[in-house]
Amino acid sequence: MAQGVFRDGLLAGKSAFITGGSSGINLGIAEALVKAGAKVAINGRNVEKLEAAVKGLQAHGTALGVAADVRQYDALAQALQTARAAHGELDILVCGAAGNFPAPAAGMSSNAFKSVLEIDVLGTFNTCRAAFEHLRKPGACVLNISAPQAYLPMAMQAHVCAAKAGVDMLTRTLAIEWGGLGIRVNSITPGPIEDTEGMRRLAPGDDSRGKLLEALPLGRLGTKQDIAQLALFLSSDAASYITGSLMVCDGGQSLLGSGLMLKALGL
Ligand code: COA
């Protein structure tokens, strides 16, 4: 089945591994990659959620679930080993596992801050580090899922701002270190994407949604398909000269700065 502007079989024969792949944006990416012909392994913490997601993916192609917490290096390395044994060398690595909740810095415990830093930054590092030996060289690509908080300071989001800024710097550093091996490393920065856990947590209710829609230059929330299309492009040969880029897909959200966005969200 054709997907947007992309031809059938765009990623035929490729192998992908996606952390946080049981739901939301990352599951949307997994679906697009499977439909484009890639063999996809998704990773998550919750085995039940993982199995349900894999079942849905298998209706479209080859998919496998490998449970592990991205904060636990050895478990993650084992999950990558299992995926390699089933699907071969890795062409596409998506580091999507993330944590978020709105909380003021003065009311957040040290452990709460640490949890998000560990899932986002350490988790992304662990995934890239453990996947390194399995990545096809040359030709592999890494997509780290970031957020506008990486460069827009936002109240109630000190942990996420610090974490996603770290993720983007990992992207840029690894792009330099691994470029010579023919591995591309990019970040995708999704804006407000409907029907996701992030939006349910940050903009619950019709009021904040309405204010957000009024503020967004494109006047609509993004869809998982919007992000999946970007992931398909970055994974494909069409993006073979793109590395170290922080690719924003946010309907213009970041043009407004954090003040207007926070007002829209009532934060
Ligand atoms: N406000 C303030 N503190 C919170 C919180 C909230 N809404 N939710 C969790 N915390 C704190 C906990 O109290 C705990 O701190 P403590 O030990 O000092 O009490 C700490 O965060 C860790 O909580 P725990 O539930 O043990 O964490 P976890 O590591 O299993 O979960 C989270 C990680 C907290 C980030 C969790 O929200 C999560 O996994 N979310 C995933 C889904 C998600 O957010 N997706 C959207 C990404 S954009």
Side-chain angles (χ1 to χ4, degrees):
M1 183 200 300
Q3 298 181 75
V5 299
F6 298 104
R7 63 177 162 76
D8 288 346
L10 180 77
L11 302 176
K14 305 259 185 187
S15 158
F17 186 96
I18 304 176
T19 67
S22 312
S23 62
I25 287 170
N26 303 319
L27 181 56
I29 293 173
E31 276 173 18
L33 297 187
V34 167
K35 287 178 182 171
K39 293 168 281 182
V40 174
I42 58 170
N43 149 265
R45 274 194 287 171
N46 181 316
V47 174
E48 260 174 40
K49 259 177 78 179
L50 194 60
E51 281 172 1
V54 168
K55 214 167 163 194
L57 292 174
Q58 285 172 339
H60 304 289
T62 306
L64 153 81
V66 278
D69 186 326
V70 293
R71 293 171 286 190
Q72 307 297 328
Y73 187 85
D74 290 346
L76 191 62
Q78 182 57 54
L80 278 151
Q81 191 68 56
T82 303
R84 165 78 178 267
H87 293 166
E89 273 185 318
L90 200 53
D91 299 283
I92 302 158
L93 178 68
V94 181
C95 301
N100 195 359
F101 49 82
M108 192 188 306
S109 73
S110 173
N111 191 44
F113 186 87
K114 187 171 108 176
S115 295
V116 171
L117 264 288
E118 284 191 346
I119 296 169
D120 292 20
V121 186
L122 182 65
T124 299
F125 174 79
N126 282 347
T127 307
C128 292
R129 176 66 186 86
F132 181 74
E133 65 176 290
H134 305 296
L135 291 173
R136 190 183 303 284
K137 306 168 193 73
C141 74
V142 178
L143 303 177
N144 292 329
I145 307 302
S146 185
Q149 286 92 324
Y151 49 87
L152 287 179
M154 285 190 196
M156 314 285 279
Q157 292 280 276
H159 46 340
V160 178
C161 291
K164 292 300 191 182
V167 168
D168 279 357
M169 284 311 284
L170 269 177
T171 294
R172 287 149 64 88
T173 308
L174 294 181
I176 294 172
E177 290 196 10
W178 294 356
L181 300 168
I183 300 171
R184 297 182 296 108
V185 187
N186 293 294
S187 277
I188 291 179
T189 305
I193 306 300
E194 63 187 348
D195 191 23
T196 59
E197 184 61 25
M199 280 302 289
R200 276 187 285 278
R201 285 174 184 235
L202 293 182
D206 291 342
D207 190 39
S208 51
R209 183 188 161 95
K211 285 180 182 156
L212 190 55
L213 289 177
E214 273 173 34
L216 278 170
L218 284 186
R220 71 168 175 90
L221 296 180
T223 64
K224 292 171 200 164
Q225 176 83 351
D226 290 322
I227 303 302
Q229 294 280 315
L230 178 55
L232 277 177
F233 166 66
L234 287 172
S235 305
S236 75
D237 292 342
S240 64
Y241 202 52
I242 300 178
T243 196
S245 287
L246 314 176
M247 306 281 277
V248 177
C249 183
D250 72 348
Q253 175 193 21
S254 51
L255 302 173
L256 304 172
S258 51
L260 268 174
M261 284 311 298
L262 289 170
K263 203 167 155 201
L265 295 173
L267 294 174

Short mmCIF file of all heavy atoms in Angstrom, two decimals, residues 206-261:
data_model
loop_
_atom_site.label_atom_id
_atom_site.label_comp_id
_atom_site.label_asym_id
_atom_site.label_seq_id
_atom_site.Cartn_x
_atom_site.Cartn_y
_atom_site.Cartn_z
N ASP A 206 -11.00 20.06 26.50
CA ASP A 206 -11.30 20.82 25.28
C ASP A 206 -10.78 22.24 25.34
O ASP A 206 -10.43 22.83 24.33
CB ASP A 206 -12.82 20.86 25.06
CG ASP A 206 -13.34 19.48 24.69
OD1 ASP A 206 -12.50 18.64 24.29
OD2 ASP A 206 -14.56 19.25 24.81
N ASP A 207 -10.73 22.82 26.57
CA ASP A 207 -10.33 24.22 26.70
C ASP A 207 -8.89 24.42 26.24
O ASP A 207 -8.59 25.27 25.40
CB ASP A 207 -10.51 24.66 28.16
CG ASP A 207 -10.34 26.16 28.28
OD1 ASP A 207 -10.83 26.88 27.37
OD2 ASP A 207 -9.71 26.61 29.25
N SER A 208 -7.97 23.61 26.79
CA SER A 208 -6.56 23.79 26.42
C SER A 208 -6.35 23.40 24.96
O SER A 208 -5.55 24.02 24.25
CB SER A 208 -5.63 22.99 27.34
OG SER A 208 -6.04 21.66 27.45
N ARG A 209 -7.10 22.42 24.48
CA ARG A 209 -6.99 22.03 23.07
C ARG A 209 -7.42 23.19 22.16
O ARG A 209 -6.74 23.53 21.19
CB ARG A 209 -7.87 20.79 22.83
CG ARG A 209 -7.78 20.25 21.41
CD ARG A 209 -8.84 19.15 21.21
NE ARG A 209 -9.09 18.92 19.81
CZ ARG A 209 -8.51 17.98 19.10
NH1 ARG A 209 -7.66 17.16 19.66
NH2 ARG A 209 -8.77 17.84 17.82
N GLY A 210 -8.54 23.83 22.52
CA GLY A 210 -9.05 24.94 21.72
C GLY A 210 -8.06 26.09 21.68
O GLY A 210 -7.79 26.67 20.62
N LYS A 211 -7.49 26.42 22.85
CA LYS A 211 -6.52 27.52 22.91
C LYS A 211 -5.27 27.18 22.09
O LYS A 211 -4.68 28.05 21.44
CB LYS A 211 -6.13 27.79 24.36
CG LYS A 211 -7.22 28.52 25.13
CD LYS A 211 -6.77 28.76 26.54
CE LYS A 211 -7.87 29.45 27.34
NZ LYS A 211 -7.74 29.21 28.78
N LEU A 212 -4.89 25.94 22.14
CA LEU A 212 -3.72 25.50 21.38
C LEU A 212 -3.98 25.63 19.88
O LEU A 212 -3.14 26.13 19.13
CB LEU A 212 -3.44 24.03 21.75
CG LEU A 212 -2.16 23.39 21.29
CD1 LEU A 212 -0.95 24.20 21.73
CD2 LEU A 212 -2.06 21.98 21.87
N LEU A 213 -5.16 25.21 19.45
CA LEU A 213 -5.50 25.29 18.03
C LEU A 213 -5.48 26.74 17.54
O LEU A 213 -5.00 27.04 16.45
CB LEU A 213 -6.87 24.67 17.77
CG LEU A 213 -6.94 23.15 17.90
CD1 LEU A 213 -8.35 22.63 17.70
CD2 LEU A 213 -6.01 22.48 16.89
N GLU A 214 -5.99 27.63 18.38
CA GLU A 214 -5.99 29.06 18.02
C GLU A 214 -4.57 29.59 17.85
O GLU A 214 -4.30 30.42 16.99
CB GLU A 214 -6.65 29.88 19.13
CG GLU A 214 -8.15 30.00 18.99
CD GLU A 214 -8.74 30.68 20.23
OE1 GLU A 214 -8.07 31.56 20.81
OE2 GLU A 214 -9.86 30.29 20.62
N ALA A 215 -3.65 29.09 18.70
CA ALA A 215 -2.28 29.62 18.69
C ALA A 215 -1.43 29.03 17.57
O ALA A 215 -0.50 29.67 17.10
CB ALA A 215 -1.62 29.35 20.04
N LEU A 216 -1.73 27.81 17.14
CA LEU A 216 -0.85 27.14 16.18
C LEU A 216 -0.95 27.75 14.79
O LEU A 216 -2.05 27.86 14.24
CB LEU A 216 -1.23 25.65 16.09
CG LEU A 216 -0.66 24.76 17.17
CD1 LEU A 216 -1.32 23.38 17.10
CD2 LEU A 216 0.84 24.63 17.04
N PRO A 217 0.17 28.13 14.18
CA PRO A 217 0.12 28.73 12.83
C PRO A 217 -0.65 27.88 11.82
O PRO A 217 -1.39 28.43 11.00
CB PRO A 217 1.60 28.87 12.46
CG PRO A 217 2.27 29.09 13.77
CD PRO A 217 1.52 28.22 14.74
N LEU A 218 -0.50 26.58 11.83
CA LEU A 218 -1.22 25.77 10.84
C LEU A 218 -2.65 25.43 11.29
O LEU A 218 -3.40 24.78 10.55
CB LEU A 218 -0.45 24.48 10.51
CG LEU A 218 0.76 24.66 9.59
CD1 LEU A 218 1.38 23.29 9.21
CD2 LEU A 218 0.43 25.42 8.31
N GLY A 219 -3.02 25.84 12.50
CA GLY A 219 -4.40 25.73 12.94
C GLY A 219 -4.92 24.32 13.15
O GLY A 219 -6.13 24.09 13.24
N ARG A 220 -4.04 23.37 13.25
CA ARG A 220 -4.47 22.00 13.57
C ARG A 220 -3.39 21.30 14.36
O ARG A 220 -2.22 21.69 14.30
CB ARG A 220 -4.77 21.21 12.29
CG ARG A 220 -3.55 20.83 11.46
CD ARG A 220 -3.89 19.79 10.38
NE ARG A 220 -2.78 19.48 9.50
CZ ARG A 220 -1.88 18.52 9.72
NH1 ARG A 220 -1.94 17.77 10.81
NH2 ARG A 220 -0.91 18.29 8.85
N LEU A 221 -3.82 20.27 15.11
CA LEU A 221 -2.82 19.43 15.76
C LEU A 221 -2.18 18.53 14.72
O LEU A 221 -2.78 18.27 13.66
CB LEU A 221 -3.49 18.56 16.83
CG LEU A 221 -4.12 19.30 18.00
CD1 LEU A 221 -4.75 18.30 18.97
CD2 LEU A 221 -3.07 20.13 18.74
N GLY A 222 -0.98 18.07 15.00
CA GLY A 222 -0.34 17.12 14.09
C GLY A 222 -0.93 15.74 14.27
O GLY A 222 -1.65 15.46 15.25
N THR A 223 -0.64 14.86 13.34
CA THR A 223 -1.08 13.46 13.44
C THR A 223 0.16 12.56 13.51
O THR A 223 1.26 12.98 13.13
CB THR A 223 -1.90 13.05 12.20
OG1 THR A 223 -1.04 13.11 11.04
CG2 THR A 223 -3.10 13.96 12.00
N LYS A 224 -0.08 11.34 13.96
CA LYS A 224 1.04 10.38 14.00
C LYS A 224 1.57 10.15 12.59
O LYS A 224 2.76 9.91 12.39
CB LYS A 224 0.56 9.07 14.61
CG LYS A 224 0.24 9.20 16.08
CD LYS A 224 -0.43 7.96 16.60
CE LYS A 224 -1.17 8.27 17.87
NZ LYS A 224 -2.15 7.24 18.23
N GLN A 225 0.67 10.24 11.61
CA GLN A 225 1.07 10.07 10.20
C GLN A 225 2.06 11.17 9.78
O GLN A 225 3.01 10.90 9.04
CB GLN A 225 -0.19 10.10 9.33
CG GLN A 225 0.04 10.02 7.83
CD GLN A 225 0.24 8.59 7.35
OE1 GLN A 225 0.36 7.68 8.16
NE2 GLN A 225 0.28 8.40 6.05
N ASP A 226 1.85 12.40 10.27
CA ASP A 226 2.78 13.49 9.94
C ASP A 226 4.21 13.14 10.37
O ASP A 226 5.17 13.37 9.65
CB ASP A 226 2.37 14.80 10.65
CG ASP A 226 1.08 15.40 10.08
OD1 ASP A 226 0.89 15.34 8.86
OD2 ASP A 226 0.29 15.93 10.88
N ILE A 227 4.32 12.59 11.57
CA ILE A 227 5.65 12.23 12.09
C ILE A 227 6.19 11.00 11.36
O ILE A 227 7.38 10.93 11.02
CB ILE A 227 5.59 11.96 13.61
CG1 ILE A 227 5.02 13.19 14.35
CG2 ILE A 227 6.97 11.60 14.15
CD1 ILE A 227 5.79 14.48 14.13
N ALA A 228 5.29 10.05 11.09
CA ALA A 228 5.73 8.82 10.41
C ALA A 228 6.28 9.13 9.02
O ALA A 228 7.26 8.52 8.57
CB ALA A 228 4.57 7.84 10.33
N GLN A 229 5.66 10.09 8.33
CA GLN A 229 6.15 10.46 6.99
C GLN A 229 7.56 11.02 7.06
O GLN A 229 8.40 10.74 6.21
CB GLN A 229 5.22 11.53 6.37
CG GLN A 229 3.81 11.05 6.07
CD GLN A 229 3.71 10.24 4.78
OE1 GLN A 229 4.26 10.62 3.77
NE2 GLN A 229 3.04 9.12 4.83
N LEU A 230 7.82 11.82 8.09
CA LEU A 230 9.16 12.38 8.26
C LEU A 230 10.16 11.26 8.58
O LEU A 230 11.29 11.23 8.06
CB LEU A 230 9.16 13.44 9.36
CG LEU A 230 10.50 14.09 9.70
CD1 LEU A 230 11.16 14.70 8.47
CD2 LEU A 230 10.31 15.15 10.78
N ALA A 231 9.72 10.32 9.42
CA ALA A 231 10.60 9.19 9.76
C ALA A 231 10.91 8.35 8.52
O ALA A 231 12.06 7.91 8.33
CB ALA A 231 9.95 8.33 10.84
N LEU A 232 9.92 8.15 7.68
CA LEU A 232 10.14 7.39 6.44
C LEU A 232 11.16 8.10 5.56
O LEU A 232 12.08 7.48 5.02
CB LEU A 232 8.83 7.25 5.65
CG LEU A 232 7.87 6.15 6.04
CD1 LEU A 232 6.61 6.23 5.18
CD2 LEU A 232 8.51 4.78 5.90
N PHE A 233 10.99 9.40 5.42
CA PHE A 233 11.93 10.18 4.61
C PHE A 233 13.35 10.07 5.16
O PHE A 233 14.30 9.75 4.44
CB PHE A 233 11.48 11.65 4.55
CG PHE A 233 12.55 12.57 4.03
CD1 PHE A 233 12.99 12.48 2.71
CD2 PHE A 233 13.13 13.53 4.85
CE1 PHE A 233 14.00 13.32 2.23
CE2 PHE A 233 14.14 14.36 4.38
CZ PHE A 233 14.57 14.26 3.06
N LEU A 234 13.50 10.31 6.47
CA LEU A 234 14.84 10.29 7.07
C LEU A 234 15.48 8.91 7.02
O LEU A 234 16.71 8.77 6.99
CB LEU A 234 14.78 10.79 8.52
CG LEU A 234 14.55 12.30 8.68
CD1 LEU A 234 14.31 12.65 10.14
CD2 LEU A 234 15.73 13.11 8.13
N SER A 235 14.64 7.86 7.01
CA SER A 235 15.16 6.48 6.96
C SER A 235 15.55 6.08 5.55
O SER A 235 16.23 5.09 5.36
CB SER A 235 14.08 5.48 7.42
OG SER A 235 13.62 5.81 8.68
N SER A 236 15.08 6.82 4.58
CA SER A 236 15.25 6.39 3.18
C SER A 236 16.51 6.98 2.56
O SER A 236 17.13 7.90 3.12
CB SER A 236 14.03 6.83 2.37
OG SER A 236 14.10 8.23 2.12
N ASP A 237 16.86 6.46 1.40
CA ASP A 237 18.04 6.97 0.69
C ASP A 237 17.86 8.42 0.26
O ASP A 237 18.85 9.11 -0.02
CB ASP A 237 18.31 6.10 -0.56
CG ASP A 237 18.76 4.71 -0.17
OD1 ASP A 237 19.17 4.53 0.99
OD2 ASP A 237 18.67 3.80 -1.02
N ALA A 238 16.62 8.88 0.20
CA ALA A 238 16.38 10.29 -0.18
C ALA A 238 17.04 11.25 0.80
O ALA A 238 17.31 12.40 0.47
CB ALA A 238 14.88 10.56 -0.26
N ALA A 239 17.31 10.76 2.02
CA ALA A 239 17.91 11.63 3.05
C ALA A 239 19.39 11.29 3.26
O ALA A 239 19.94 11.57 4.32
CB ALA A 239 17.14 11.47 4.36
N SER A 240 20.03 10.73 2.25
CA SER A 240 21.38 10.17 2.45
C SER A 240 22.44 11.23 2.77
O SER A 240 23.54 10.88 3.21
CB SER A 240 21.81 9.34 1.24
OG SER A 240 21.91 10.19 0.11
N TYR A 241 22.13 12.52 2.57
CA TYR A 241 23.12 13.56 2.91
C TYR A 241 22.69 14.35 4.15
O TYR A 241 23.23 15.41 4.43
CB TYR A 241 23.32 14.50 1.70
CG TYR A 241 24.65 15.24 1.74
CD1 TYR A 241 25.85 14.55 1.91
CD2 TYR A 241 24.70 16.62 1.61
CE1 TYR A 241 27.06 15.22 1.96
CE2 TYR A 241 25.91 17.31 1.65
CZ TYR A 241 27.09 16.59 1.83
OH TYR A 241 28.29 17.26 1.87
N ILE A 242 21.71 13.83 4.87
CA ILE A 242 21.22 14.55 6.06
C ILE A 242 21.69 13.83 7.32
O ILE A 242 21.33 12.67 7.56
CB ILE A 242 19.67 14.63 6.05
CG1 ILE A 242 19.19 15.37 4.81
CG2 ILE A 242 19.17 15.33 7.32
CD1 ILE A 242 17.68 15.45 4.68
N THR A 243 22.49 14.49 8.11
CA THR A 243 22.88 13.94 9.42
C THR A 243 23.12 15.08 10.40
O THR A 243 23.45 16.20 10.00
CB THR A 243 24.12 13.02 9.31
OG1 THR A 243 24.20 12.24 10.51
CG2 THR A 243 25.42 13.80 9.13
N GLY A 244 22.90 14.80 11.67
CA GLY A 244 23.07 15.82 12.72
C GLY A 244 21.98 16.87 12.69
O GLY A 244 22.10 17.91 13.34
N SER A 245 20.88 16.61 11.96
CA SER A 245 19.80 17.60 11.85
C SER A 245 18.74 17.38 12.92
O SER A 245 18.44 16.24 13.28
CB SER A 245 19.13 17.51 10.47
OG SER A 245 19.98 18.02 9.49
N LEU A 246 18.17 18.49 13.38
CA LEU A 246 17.08 18.45 14.34
C LEU A 246 15.84 18.85 13.55
O LEU A 246 15.60 20.04 13.33
CB LEU A 246 17.36 19.42 15.50
CG LEU A 246 18.80 19.35 16.07
CD1 LEU A 246 19.02 20.40 17.14
CD2 LEU A 246 19.11 17.96 16.63
N MET A 247 15.10 17.86 13.06
CA MET A 247 14.03 18.12 12.09
C MET A 247 12.71 18.38 12.82
O MET A 247 12.16 17.49 13.48
CB MET A 247 13.86 16.93 11.15
CG MET A 247 15.14 16.51 10.45
SD MET A 247 15.56 17.56 9.05
CE MET A 247 14.56 16.85 7.79
N VAL A 248 12.23 19.60 12.70
CA VAL A 248 11.02 20.02 13.42
C VAL A 248 9.78 19.75 12.58
O VAL A 248 9.73 20.09 11.41
CB VAL A 248 11.12 21.53 13.74
CG1 VAL A 248 9.85 22.01 14.43
CG2 VAL A 248 12.34 21.80 14.62
N CYS A 249 8.78 19.11 13.19
CA CYS A 249 7.51 18.82 12.51
C CYS A 249 6.41 19.21 13.50
O CYS A 249 5.95 18.39 14.28
CB CYS A 249 7.46 17.33 12.16
SG CYS A 249 6.00 16.84 11.23
N ASP A 250 6.06 20.49 13.54
CA ASP A 250 5.24 20.99 14.65
C ASP A 250 4.17 21.99 14.27
O ASP A 250 3.64 22.70 15.13
CB ASP A 250 6.15 21.59 15.74
CG ASP A 250 6.75 22.93 15.31
OD1 ASP A 250 6.66 23.28 14.12
OD2 ASP A 250 7.29 23.63 16.18
N GLY A 251 3.85 22.10 12.98
CA GLY A 251 2.79 23.02 12.58
C GLY A 251 3.12 24.47 12.87
O GLY A 251 2.24 25.32 12.91
N GLY A 252 4.40 24.76 13.13
CA GLY A 252 4.80 26.13 13.42
C GLY A 252 4.83 26.48 14.90
O GLY A 252 5.08 27.63 15.27
N GLN A 253 4.60 25.50 15.76
CA GLN A 253 4.54 25.75 17.21
C GLN A 253 5.76 26.50 17.72
O GLN A 253 5.64 27.46 18.47
CB GLN A 253 4.41 24.42 17.96
CG GLN A 253 4.47 24.57 19.48
CD GLN A 253 4.66 23.24 20.20
OE1 GLN A 253 5.12 22.27 19.63
NE2 GLN A 253 4.25 23.20 21.45
N SER A 254 6.93 26.06 17.29
CA SER A 254 8.15 26.63 17.87
C SER A 254 8.37 28.09 17.45
O SER A 254 9.12 28.81 18.10
CB SER A 254 9.37 25.79 17.50
OG SER A 254 9.41 25.56 16.12
N LEU A 255 7.67 28.53 16.39
CA LEU A 255 7.81 29.93 15.97
C LEU A 255 7.23 30.88 17.00
O LEU A 255 7.56 32.07 17.03
CB LEU A 255 7.09 30.15 14.63
CG LEU A 255 7.56 29.26 13.47
CD1 LEU A 255 6.66 29.44 12.26
CD2 LEU A 255 9.00 29.57 13.12
N LEU A 256 6.34 30.35 17.84
CA LEU A 256 5.61 31.20 18.79
C LEU A 256 6.39 31.48 20.06
O LEU A 256 6.03 32.35 20.84
CB LEU A 256 4.29 30.54 19.18
CG LEU A 256 3.36 30.18 18.01
CD1 LEU A 256 2.20 29.35 18.51
CD2 LEU A 256 2.86 31.44 17.33
N GLY A 257 7.45 30.71 20.29
CA GLY A 257 8.16 30.84 21.55
C GLY A 257 7.39 30.15 22.66
O GLY A 257 6.24 29.74 22.47
N SER A 258 8.02 30.01 23.81
CA SER A 258 7.36 29.24 24.86
C SER A 258 6.25 30.02 25.55
O SER A 258 5.28 29.44 26.01
CB SER A 258 8.38 28.76 25.87
OG SER A 258 9.16 29.84 26.32
N GLY A 259 6.35 31.36 25.60
CA GLY A 259 5.35 32.15 26.33
C GLY A 259 3.95 31.95 25.78
O GLY A 259 3.02 31.62 26.52
N LEU A 260 3.82 32.11 24.46
CA LEU A 260 2.50 31.96 23.85
C LEU A 260 1.97 30.55 24.01
O LEU A 260 0.78 30.32 24.25
CB LEU A 260 2.58 32.30 22.36
CG LEU A 260 2.29 33.75 22.00
CD1 LEU A 260 2.53 34.00 20.52
CD2 LEU A 260 0.83 34.09 22.35
N MET A 261 2.86 29.57 23.87
CA MET A 261 2.42 28.18 24.00
C MET A 261 1.94 27.90 25.42
O MET A 261 0.92 27.25 25.63
CB MET A 261 3.57 27.22 23.67
CG MET A 261 3.87 27.09 22.21
SD MET A 261 2.40 26.80 21.21
CE MET A 261 1.83 25.25 21.88
#
